[in-house]
Each structure stands twice: as C-alpha cells, then as structure tokens.
Amino acid sequence: SSGINAEYGVLMSREYVEKTEEPAEDGEPPTKKSRSSGGVMWRVNTHSFYTFMRDTQIVEFIKNRFDDGAGEVVSVILLLNNQIDGDMSQCSSSASYDQILHGLKNKSPNMVPFAKSYLDILTDSDLGIVKLVDDYGGGSFLINFSNFYLEYAKHHICSIVRERFGPKSHRIFSIVMAKKMIEQKQVAELALIPYKDAKELLYTLYTENFLEIQELHRTPDFSPLRTFYLFHVPLEKLTLKLLNVCYKAIYNLMAIRKDNLNENSRLVDKSLRADASTLAATQQGIAPEDLEDMLTSSEKQQLGSCMRVVKRLDLGEINILDSISALTHFGNNQNVH
C-alpha cells in the first residue's frame, strides 16, 4: 500500500482469481470456490501511473520556469482534471476559478489571495500551457498538454546544446528557436555577440544538424547577393537525432557500469558477505564493533571509489532517461497530430 498515491487513485489495482478444486476421482467436474477464497493478483494501474508522472513533470516545469506558487496553482488544476476523468488527451478538463480557489484552500491556504495573479501570469505567458477558456465568473482554465510536451522537449534540447556547445551557442540556439526564422545578422544583434563569433557558432550548430537554412530569393535569377538566408530549428528531425544519441549514451553508461562492477566483483561480493554477517550478528545481539572486519583499509578505499563511479553513472542514466521521456512524449504527440 506504500505505492498508493491518494491524489491519483490506486497505483496498484487488484483482481480476484478464482481457484478450482482438483477433479474428483469419480470424474465429477471440479467445483469453484467462492470469490472471497480466491487468490488476489496485483498489477500496476498504468493509466494512473502515467497520469501521475505527467502531472509531476508539468508541476516541476512550471515551478522551475516561474516559482513554487505557480506550481501549486497548476497542481490544483491537474488534480481537478484527475478527479473528473483523468484523461490522457491533448488538454485537461476545464476548472473554474471557484473550483481552483476551493482546491487551494484545502491544499495551500496561504496561496488563495495570490491565485488570481498567478492565473493571469500563467495565461499571459508565451508558453501556452495554462489556457483561459471562459471569462464568466472569474474564468475557467485548462492545461494544454500538447504545448507542455513541446516546451518540455525544447527545454531538454536547449540543455543538451548548452552542455555540448557552451552558453553562447545556447543563447544563439534559443533565439533561433524563439524567432522561428531569423537572419545571421539579427542573431548577432539579439544575442549581443560579435558578428564574427555569432557566424562561427551558427555554422557550428548548422554543421552538427542542430540548425537548418531556408533560402528566400528576392529575384527570379536566384542570385546569392539577393537571397535571404534564414536559420531555423528542425525540431522533429532534431528530436529523432537526439533520441538516438540518448539511446547510445544509455548503452555506454550501462556498459561502463557493468565493466566497473565486474572488475571489482570480488570486493563487491566480499562486502555483501560482510554486511550479511553483520546483520546476522546484530540479530543475535552481538555488537557490530565486536566483529572482525572482513575488508582491509585498502579494499575499503578501492570499493568506495568503485561505488562512487557507479553512483555517478546511475545519476547520468537518470538524467538521460528524463531527456528520453521528454523527447519521446513530444514525438508521440506530433504523430497524433
């Protein structure tokens, strides 16, 4: 029952399996036992699980982009959607202003006076995640899941650009993404970067397929001197490219972790045996400090170094899986459209 989240329903659902008696010796058919005497089979409620994960990602994204108060308001709208139908479609069910206030009173009473201000900020935002659908009675609001998947994917792509190419390239890439189509000179002006540096960074992103160029000819002769060269982000192509990169990175991290553990398998096994012995002694009332240490100081140091590497690899996997989730949801959402 520890895996059950009260706000999102039962993450584990159960089914009763009716048991049958063994056939009688005289050939009579077996009699079924009552349902209450049958076995109980548990399975993951995948709908509740994916709804919970999606809503958690939305709230964390809003908190990072705005603040904790905005995240609380959005979480109330999502909770109301889950109570109504928990639909996994493109938008949530609409929630009235009064319903949002009532939800905040139960969840975060100190947020009630600021609810209207936060809703105005969220609906005026260029993100388009929170939408105002009706002005009557303070308004009705919904969450646009399609826009969230788009912005969440953009956020992860920009993070990858920053890590791979640096902060200046990240600034340029973000400007191109925001402007849809933009000339090289305009990029340099908006990014506040010297023209020569901006040109070099733009073409680095272009050669790595993070940007594409759209030619716009002003005359029928297609003269290069009378042609606009507009940079843009090929978002769908880039998503597929980065997914492949992420899958390769996950494989490499898993291979490195496996090799690292195999190289130190003797120490790992010895440490596990030592832990088991300590646990058994503790259950018998023997103090751990009275036991003989099975690992030498040099072995402890080597094992500690191995475990630190494994921990860093695990954290790397978690970060990459987060990016895979964002890019996959965006790709699936685009396929739906």
Side-chain angles (χ1 to χ4, degrees):
S1 60
S2 60
I4 297 176
N5 184 286
E7 293 181 350
Y8 283 81
V10 182
L11 292 186
M12 301 292 291
S13 59
R14 63 180 180 181
E15 296 176 345
Y16 286 93
V17 179
E18 293 182 339
K19 293 182 179 179
T20 57
E21 295 179 352
E22 294 296 328
E25 293 183 358
D26 56 1
E28 291 293 325
T31 59
K32 288 187 177 181
K33 292 185 177 180
S34 65
R35 179 177 179 178
S36 60
S37 63
V40 179
M41 303 293 290
W42 292 87
R43 63 180 175 86
V44 175
N45 186 330
T46 53
H47 180 82
S48 293
F49 174 76
Y50 286 122
T51 301
F52 174 75
M53 292 299 297
R54 177 201 63 193
D55 293 357
T56 300
Q57 288 175 337
I58 294 174
V59 172
E60 289 301 316
F61 181 77
I62 293 295
K63 285 182 178 180
N64 292 333
R65 186 60 68 94
F66 298 96
D67 62 17
D68 291 348
E72 289 294 330
V73 173
V74 169
S75 69
V76 169
I77 300 175
L78 291 168
L79 181 57
L80 290 168
N81 173 65
N82 182 62
Q83 291 172 347
I84 295 171
D85 56 12
D87 192 14
M88 295 291 288
S89 61
Q90 305 305 308
C91 294
S92 70
S93 301
S94 61
S96 69
Y97 179 66
D98 290 337
Q99 287 176 315
I100 296 172
L101 286 181
H102 182 71
L104 285 173
K105 286 178 183 177
N106 295 332
K107 190 174 183 182
S108 303
N110 59 317
M111 286 297 303
V112 172
F114 310 104
K116 184 61 178 174
S117 299
Y118 274 116
L119 287 169
D120 290 340
I121 292 171
L122 289 167
T123 52
D124 291 341
S125 170
D126 294 335
L127 298 177
I129 296 176
V130 180
K131 293 281 190 179
L132 174 65
V133 293
D134 186 7
D135 291 329
Y136 180 76
S140 295
F141 305 85
L142 57 77
I143 305 297
N144 189 310
F145 298 135
S146 297
N147 287 349
F148 164 70
Y149 291 137
L150 171 62
E151 296 300 328
Y152 197 47
K154 285 181 178 179
H155 168 73
H156 279 270
I157 292 172
C158 286
S159 296
I160 293 171
V161 171
R162 176 186 286 276
E163 292 296 324
R164 183 168 175 182
F165 301 104
K168 287 185 178 180
S169 294
H170 170 258
R171 196 187 317 167
I172 287 174
F173 184 82
S174 299
I175 289 171
V176 176
M177 183 178 286
K179 295 296 183 181
K180 303 292 193 291
M181 294 277 185
I182 187 170
E183 284 188 284
Q184 180 176 292
K185 183 180 179 181
Q186 293 175 305
V187 172
E189 292 172 352
L190 292 173
L192 302 177
I193 296 175
Y195 181 80
K196 183 180 179 181
D197 295 343
K199 180 179 179 181
E200 182 180 346
L201 295 172
L202 274 169
Y203 280 92
T204 298
L205 291 170
Y206 172 73
T207 54
E208 294 291 336
N209 298 318
F210 280 78
L211 296 178
E212 287 185 353
I213 296 177
Q214 176 70 47
E215 297 182 0
L216 187 61
H217 304 284
R218 290 184 291 175
T219 56
D221 60 359
F222 303 105
S223 170
L225 297 176
R226 290 181 289 275
T227 300
F228 292 113
Y229 296 94
L230 305 176
F231 287 91
H232 68 97
V233 177
L235 203 54
E236 293 185 25
K237 291 182 183 178
L238 188 54
T239 298
L240 294 175
K241 167 187 168 69
L242 293 179
L243 273 174
N244 287 329
V245 172
C246 288
Y247 291 140
K248 291 177 181 178
I250 281 284
Y251 175 81
N252 290 336
L253 288 177
M254 293 173 66
I256 294 170
R257 181 179 58 188
K258 183 179 179 180
D259 290 343
N260 194 58
L261 290 174
N262 286 340
E263 289 176 4
N264 296 275
S265 59
R266 184 185 64 82
L267 287 178
V268 173
D269 292 340
K270 193 173 181 180
S271 175
L272 291 174
R273 289 197 302 271
D275 291 342
S277 299
T278 302
L279 179 61
T282 303
Q283 291 175 346
Q284 296 173 5
I286 303 174
E289 54 270 15
D290 295 336
L291 297 174
E292 183 180 353
D293 203 341
M294 295 178 63
L295 294 173
T296 65
S297 58
S298 60
E299 288 176 333
K300 287 181 180 179
Q301 186 177 0
Q302 184 179 348
L303 182 62
S305 176
C306 170
M307 291 298 103
R308 283 193 294 272
V309 171
V310 170
K311 186 177 181 180
R312 287 199 294 269
L313 293 172
D314 288 341
L315 290 174
E317 280 189 41
I318 292 172
N319 290 332
I320 295 174
L321 287 171
D322 195 22
S323 295
I324 289 175
S325 172
L327 297 173
T328 302
H329 279 116
F330 169 70
N332 292 341
N333 188 65
Q334 292 298 107
N335 291 336
V336 168
H337 288 298

